[in-house]
Amino acid sequence: MNAGYVRLSRDDDHKNYVSIENQKLIISQFAAGQGVKIDRWYEDM
């Protein structure tokens, strides 16, 4: 089983938040490029 971990985060000016969905997309694309499928997601908000 392969797990992905994402968390709600913001940049230094505390205004712009990085979306959980964007993080999942980036991780999923990287994993697919490595021949890996993410089976489970862990989210920290």
Side-chain angles (χ1 to χ4, degrees):
M1 179 166 80
N2 298 297
Y5 171 77
V6 294
R7 66 184 289 268
L8 184 63
S9 60
R10 56 186 175 198
D11 58 16
D12 289 338
D13 67 9
H14 304 288
K15 292 181 182 177
N16 298 316
Y17 291 84
V18 177
S19 95
I20 296 281
E21 293 306 315
N22 283 343
Q23 291 177 49
K24 285 182 176 181
L25 177 63
I26 292 166
I27 292 169
S28 295
Q29 289 174 339
F30 176 80
Q34 302 299 310
V36 174
K37 180 182 180 289
I38 302 297
D39 302 305
R40 181 176 175 115
W41 289 99
Y42 293 94
E43 297 180 7
D44 187 7
M45 295 198 195

